[in-house]
């Protein structure tokens, strides 16, 4: 039984082919060549969001454990197991089923059963909140880290955070998310490579020299004196003296804080929409490598923090304290206990600090009894603080002018830059989720443009940054967003519909299906456990999260239904698909269905063009697209290959990088798309009808030149000759009936520009094809040939074979008896008199195709 639960659900042939391509897939897209993101490019793109939090997960884990490193390590270890053996397999299974899904909301819509589809509303709301909090925590963190390089700017920390948030927003809006990808690749790649090397060196240093812990207090004191660090959390007593209940409480509290180290991981499947093919293999490999990076960096940081007794320094990264110790000892001149000489100036500074903190401060801000610990003894405080000041001075002297100073500067600057770029993950991911909601009709259509979503996210974050101010404040709210994504994605995989499995070649109930669902189950166990811990330990943040999530969900509901009252989606779909003409949308869902219809029609035409069905018209495909767009009311932006007018551009959802159809984000929209796509025959008939319209217009305008009723050559005889030579592939009876139904009306300019090409083609072809028949007519007019000639005109059919079209040159050439409806019609009309005089005008003159309407003027040739 257990063997079946780990049965591979990817077919062996597909796995082998993907493994052969893996070396290329690892590095593809690093130069942004347009081939799609490979594994490393995908990792580097999300590194700014996911890996930058690795710099703070240690701080948060220790902070949550109240300074007890042992508890923080245990909590992070359990979280790591849950990530690697729970979340990773479920995300891999989800990315195999729907590599184009783009997040938890679209995933549950596309693969989940109807009863779970409401989760996509919740997932969208929480993910959007998560994006806003990403901006806040990244901007504040970047400002905090910058204090390492420029500590004198500490007073402007929040202003810098606001400027950082605005800067990245402006870059993304001006450049566009796609063009900004190189920034993420460069920044994420540099940070990833540097962190792997530098942190490995730090872990080795901590393993070999635990005695360097005496430097920690000096660094922390310097940060406090510069007001970079506002709070320091240290263990107050030995771990063995804590009650079991307190240890358990601190363990779960540390888990709830350390979860933040996995933030950004949920973006990998969403970013995988732009991955190289096979996408599932790129996403699968990136998920594993990213998890190993997050777990490995966390373990190394926590190990070094424990060895060197580094406390939780709110406002400053534990990682940079570790780097500073390593830089001073191995890359600088080194600091020994003998180098730390306490001077009278150090003691005076310590005395002043004690007076400011515990004497003057207590007088200005008296504390109620029992609300804080009593101040330390003056003598003890002065001695310890003076030693810390001396230590900080010794470290500064050891680093001055050395490789260690350069290393520390690069580390701080690179971390500040990566935290700055980390906002990009929030902006782009949040905008993508908003665009998906807009595509579903749950947000206004403006959000289809990623720039609008980015601007909205920034505006909300800009208001909240001065209110939140601290990383440890926002982390309580932050984790709910990505943990909910874990929950929704794994649940969707476990309850994936049977037809979705069959689409991927997995038979429901088979070992492969059970293995895939077991991957989802493992993700559910891990993510549900994380969510329970969050709710219990961060309950104070739950009310705000629920309220904000409910507000965004309500906005989605009103936008989708055009009000609070729910509209029947299937009735709306039938209405949209039956509409002939432009629509005024009364709800977002109505718009979404109509856009799915337009995408289906556009893709249907694109495939007809690709299959060569439209080649026979010998017209530029873009004219065909514009004609179809005008007739079926399709926005030209939905055509994958069309040339758009100047100033018109595609948004993130219009058109696909790889020119392939991306599944609609819901079953309802997919059904609307499929039904529209199934109208290929109708599209072909309509285009052919407009092609005939152009040729018929030429016949109408030019046939009077050869009409001579007194010679037995009424309009019908000339039209018959022109139709037979210009339509060699169509049975004459069919094209004659169509020509008789032709009625002239004005056409939209886009349609006429297509039909005009066929008009011009006929105008060019007729002189070449008509030499034989017009020569006969000319000689007949001079009585040099009899009037009863049946001419045989050589034409070439579509298969390339010559065909002799039998053309009646006059009424006298009509057979006395015939089953041909055309012959019977003309004999009836002219009383059976071959060569009768007087005739009437053309039955088709002044006609036009009945299938179009317009308010635009006709072309010059059409004015006759």
């Amino acid at each position: 039984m257990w063997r079946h639960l780990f049965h591979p659900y990817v077919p062996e042939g597909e796995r082998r082919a993907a493994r052969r391509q893996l070396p290329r897939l690892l590095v593809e897209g690093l130069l942004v060549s347009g081939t799609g993101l490979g594994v490393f490019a995908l990792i580097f793109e999300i590194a700014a969001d996911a890996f930058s939090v690795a710099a703070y997960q240690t701080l948060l884990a220790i902070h949550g454990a109240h300074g007890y490193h042992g508890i923080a390590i245990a909590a992070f270890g359990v979280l790591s197991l849950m990530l690697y053996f729970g979340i990773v397999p479920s995300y891999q299974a989800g990315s195999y089923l729907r590599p184009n899904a783009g997040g938890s909301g679209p995933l549950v819509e596309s693969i989940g059963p109807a009863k779970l589809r409401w989760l996509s509303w919740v997932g969208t709301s929480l993910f959007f909140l998560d994006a806003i909090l990403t901006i806040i925590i990244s901007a504040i963190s970047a400002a905090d880290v910058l204090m390492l390089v420029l500590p004198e700017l500490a007073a402007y920390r929040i202003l810098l955070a606001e400027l950082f948030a605005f800067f990245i927003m402006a870059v993304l809006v001006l450049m566009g998310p796609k063009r900004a990808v190189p920034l993420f690749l460069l920044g994420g790649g540099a940070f990833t490579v540097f962190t792997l090397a530098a942190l490995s060196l730090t872990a080795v240093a901590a393993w070999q020299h635990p005695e360097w812990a005496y430097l920690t207090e000096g660094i922390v004191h310097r940060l406090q004196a510069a007001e970079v660090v506002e709070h320091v959390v240290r263990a107050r007593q030995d771990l063995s003296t804590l009650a079991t209940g307190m240890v358990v409480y601190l363990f779960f509290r540390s888990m709830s804080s350390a979860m933040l180290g996995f933030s950004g991981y949920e973006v990998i499947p969403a970013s995988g929409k732009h991955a190289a093919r096979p996408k599932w293999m790129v996403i699968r490999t990136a998920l594993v490598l990213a998890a190993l990076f997050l777990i490995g960096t966390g373990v190394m940081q926590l190990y070094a923090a424990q060895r060197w007794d580094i406390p939780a320094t709110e406002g400053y990264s534990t990682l940079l304290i570790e780097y500073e110790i390593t830089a001073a000892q191995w890359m600088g001149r080194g600091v020994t206990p003998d180098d730390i000489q306490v001077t009278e100036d150090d003691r005076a500074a310590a005395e002043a600090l004690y007076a400011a903190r515990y004497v003057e401060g207590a007088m200005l801000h008296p504390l109620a009894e029992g609300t804080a610990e009593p101040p330390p003894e003056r003598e003890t405080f002065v001695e310890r603080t003076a030693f810390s000041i001396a230590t900080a001075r010794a470290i500064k002297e050891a680093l001055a002018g050395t490789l260690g100073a350069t290393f520390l500067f690069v580390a701080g600057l690179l971390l500040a830059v990566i935290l700055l770029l980390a906002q990009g993950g929030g902006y782009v991911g949040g905008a993508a989720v908003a665009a998906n909601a807009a595509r579903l009709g749950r947000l206004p259509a403006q959000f289809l443009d990623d720039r609008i979503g980015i601007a909205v996210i920034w505006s909300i974050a800009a208001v909240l940054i001065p209110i939140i101010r601290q990383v440890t404040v926002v982390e309580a709210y932050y984790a709910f967003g990505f943990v909910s994504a874990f929950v929704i994605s794994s649940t969707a995989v476990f309850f994936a519909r049977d037809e979705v499995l069959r689409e991927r070649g997995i038979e429901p109930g088979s070992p492969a299906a059970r293995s895939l669902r077991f991957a989802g189950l493992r993700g559910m166990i891990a993510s549900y456990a994380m969510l329970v811990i969050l709710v219990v330990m961060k309950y104070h943040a739950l009310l705000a999260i629920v309220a904000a999530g409910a507000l965004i969900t309500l906005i989605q509901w009103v936008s989708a239904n055009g009000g609070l009252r729910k509209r029947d989606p299937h009735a709306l779909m039938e209405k949209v698909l039956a509409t002939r003409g432009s629509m005024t949308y009364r709800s977002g869902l109505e718009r979404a269905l109509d856009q799915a219809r337009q995408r289906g029609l556009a893709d249907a035409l694109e495939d007809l063009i690709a299959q060569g069905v439209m080649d026979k018209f010998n017209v530029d495909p873009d004219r065909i697209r514009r004609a179809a767009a005008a007739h079926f009311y399709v926005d030209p932006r939905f055509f994958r290959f069309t040339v758009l007018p100047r100033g018109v551009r595609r948004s993130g959802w219009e058109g696909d990088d790889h020119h392939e159809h991306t599944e609609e984000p819901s079953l309802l929209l997919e059904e609307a798309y499929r039904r529209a796509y199934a109208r290929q025959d109708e599209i072909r008939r309509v285009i052919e009808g407009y092609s005939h319209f152009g040729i018929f217009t030429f016949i109408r305008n030019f046939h009077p030149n050869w009409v001579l009723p007194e010679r037995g050559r009424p309009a019908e005889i000339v039209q018959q000759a022109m139709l037979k030579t210009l339509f060699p592939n169509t049975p004459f009876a069919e094209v004659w009936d169509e020509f008789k139904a032709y009625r002239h009306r004005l056409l939209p300019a886009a349609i006429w520009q297509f039909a005009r090409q066929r008009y011009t083609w006929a105008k060019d072809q007729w002189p070449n094809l008509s030499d034989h028949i017009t020569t006969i007519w000319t000689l007949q007019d001079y009585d040099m040939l009899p009037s009863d000639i049946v001419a045989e005109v050589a034409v070439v059919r579509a298969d390339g074979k010559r065909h002799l079209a039998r053309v009646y040159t006059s009424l006298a050439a009509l057979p006395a008896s015939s089953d041909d409806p055309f012959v019977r019609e003309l004999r009836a009309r002219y009383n059976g008199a071959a060569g009768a005089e007087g005739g009437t005008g053309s039955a088709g003159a002044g006609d036009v195709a009945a299938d179009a309407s317009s308010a635009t003027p006709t072309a010059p040739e059409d004015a006759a």
Side-chain angles (χ1 to χ4, degrees), residues 110-178:
S110 60
I111 73 172
K115 63 183 179 182
L116 292 180
R117 230 159 281 150
W118 61 272
L119 285 173
S120 68
W121 297 76
V122 178
T124 296
S125 300
L126 293 180
F127 200 107
F128 196 75
L129 278 178
D130 185 76
I132 296 170
L133 296 174
T134 296
I135 309 308
I136 296 171
I137 197 170
S138 299
I140 293 175
S141 299
D144 288 344
V145 172
L146 192 63
M147 299 303 102
L148 172 69
V149 182
L150 299 169
E152 61 272 15
L153 296 180
Y156 307 101
R157 174 173 158 271
I158 298 302
L159 178 60
L160 284 171
E162 291 278 21
L163 291 175
F164 289 160
F166 176 80
F167 173 73
I168 295 299
M169 181 276 295
V171 169
L172 288 172
V173 168
L174 292 175
M175 294 181 62
K178 188 176 294 185

Side-chain angles (χ1 to χ4, degrees), residues 827-856:
R827 287 206 170 275
R829 177 170 298 176
Y830 296 104
N831 300 319
E837 295 182 2
T840 63
S842 167
D847 302 313
V848 100
D851 215 358
S853 61
S854 173
T856 59

